[in-house]
Amino acid sequence: MVKKNRNILRNKGKGIKLNQLLKLYKQCKHKHCPILMLHKKQHSSMNECSIFNSSETVEYTYPQKNDVLIKKPSDYSSLSMVRQSNNLKEILIPEGYYTIAIDALIKAQNSNNNITKDSLIFPILFCFRHYLEIIMKDTIRKFKIANNEITLEQIGYDKEHSLLTIWNQLKKYIQQTQTVECQAFEKLINEINRIDNKSFSFRYAYVGTNNNEENINPIFKNEIDIDLDNLKSVMEKMHNFIEGISELTYQN
């Protein structure tokens, strides 16, 4: 089984049939899977030999021809809605990304599986970074509306992904930027921006290119050790600060 798995992995550049891929996926539940053996070597404290965080036999289901992702529920207790109201979207979208980041972080904290922790850290950091980007952009827009710089129908912020650039635009509307809290927040924005200045680093393994025949260039050249407890604490502090700045727009 191990030899067959390696052959599939070795020949992936030539293409893998769907049935081979599904078979490989099932075999990765087995303790002798080469992928799991590799991860076990890298994470010697791992108790379960499973990247899926379960050693139980599972009956898999696959997409069927009548399946649809988006459909109206028969039981409205199962309803979630993509709303049309702009005011609600401005609140719900950033809050959703922050909530997902915190919930995933709590799951990582509670997990005894190092692979689970290493897997979740990417969406955690991406969702939190994206939360900061959209809450700062929304706050800039609200300040501009309050100051009659734009109308409600205008966007009010640039198509920009650098957190530092967005923060510098927002600072123009903050009267006291020399407070300890404000300077600490800016220091943390700089820290994130050094790692990911284009909202790219936590979404992909390699630097993007327009030539798919180029050699891969890993985004992270070296490992970064992250204290999850500290991460949660600082994320919550940054959340409290920027939400407070956003609230100032209603006082203008």
Side-chain angles (χ1 to χ4, degrees):
M1 180 184 297
V2 175
K3 185 176 181 181
K4 192 170 184 180
N5 276 352
R6 285 175 178 164
N7 287 336
I8 293 174
L9 290 172
R10 192 176 294 118
N11 295 328
K12 67 180 180 178
K14 301 177 182 178
I16 303 176
K17 292 182 180 179
L18 181 59
N19 62 344
Q20 288 179 301
L21 192 60
L22 293 174
K23 191 172 183 179
L24 176 61
Y25 175 73
K26 290 180 181 179
Q27 289 173 346
C28 277
K29 298 290 289 184
H30 195 279
K31 66 180 180 179
H32 297 303
C33 173
I35 298 175
L36 301 182
M37 293 172 70
L38 173 63
H39 278 291
K40 189 178 181 183
K41 288 180 181 179
Q42 294 176 341
H43 302 273
S44 57
S45 63
M46 188 172 72
N47 295 322
E48 294 182 357
C49 295
S50 173
I51 59 174
F52 305 105
N53 201 27
S54 173
S55 58
E56 299 177 0
T57 301
V58 179
E59 188 68 31
Y60 297 101
T61 60
Y62 304 105
Q64 303 298 310
K65 64 179 182 180
N66 294 326
D67 287 343
V68 293
L69 278 175
I70 311 298
K71 63 177 288 186
K72 291 184 178 180
S74 56
D75 179 0
Y76 274 78
S77 65
S78 180
L79 171 69
S80 181
M81 186 181 297
V82 178
R83 301 176 183 268
Q84 293 182 344
S85 169
N86 286 330
N87 290 333
L88 277 174
K89 282 189 290 188
E90 290 170 359
I91 297 171
L92 296 178
I93 293 175
E95 188 59 28
Y97 277 101
Y98 177 73
T99 300
I100 288 294
I102 288 294
D103 286 353
L105 180 47
I106 292 172
K107 181 173 182 176
Q109 287 177 305
N110 293 334
S111 175
N112 293 321
N113 189 324
N114 284 330
I115 295 175
T116 297
K117 295 176 187 288
D118 293 351
S119 173
L120 288 175
I121 195 63
F122 291 96
I124 289 168
L125 292 173
F126 168 72
C127 286
F128 182 64
R129 187 207 180 283
H130 194 58
Y131 158 75
L132 291 172
E133 178 179 329
I134 54 182
I135 191 67
M136 287 196 294
K137 285 180 175 178
D138 180 58
T139 305
I140 291 170
R141 181 176 185 273
K142 288 176 179 175
F143 271 122
K144 287 185 175 182
I145 292 172
N147 293 341
N148 295 317
E149 296 178 39
I150 62 170
T151 66
L152 286 170
E153 288 71 31
Q154 293 176 289
I155 295 175
Y157 53 80
D158 299 330
K159 187 178 180 180
E160 173 64 58
H161 295 296
S162 167
L163 292 186
L164 184 58
T165 300
I166 299 168
W167 167 245
N168 285 331
Q169 292 171 352
L170 177 56
K171 277 200 306 182
K172 300 173 185 177
Y173 297 93
I174 303 174
Q175 293 181 355
Q176 297 180 350
T177 59
Q178 300 304 313
T179 63
V180 172
E181 295 81 6
C182 196
Q183 291 183 337
F185 183 83
E186 181 169 317
K187 174 176 170 288
L188 293 166
I189 289 293
N190 270 287
E191 181 183 349
I192 299 172
N193 206 66
R194 283 194 298 271
I195 300 172
D196 185 7
N197 67 337
K198 295 181 179 179
S199 189
F200 191 92
S201 299
F202 304 125
R203 294 189 291 148
Y204 300 97
Y206 311 119
V207 176
T209 174
N210 293 324
N211 180 2
N212 59 23
E213 294 183 356
E214 286 187 17
N215 291 336
I216 61 174
N217 180 18
I219 291 175
F220 294 106
K221 304 295 191 297
N222 301 302
E223 294 180 353
I224 302 175
D225 293 339
I226 300 175
D227 183 328
L228 295 180
D229 295 338
N230 174 74
L231 179 63
K232 182 172 181 290
S233 173
V234 176
M235 281 170 54
E236 290 172 340
K237 292 175 183 178
M238 294 182 74
H239 172 263
N240 294 339
F241 176 83
I242 197 61
E243 291 287 340
I245 295 297
S246 184
E247 289 294 321
L248 294 176
T249 61
Y250 297 104
Q251 300 176 17
N252 285 16

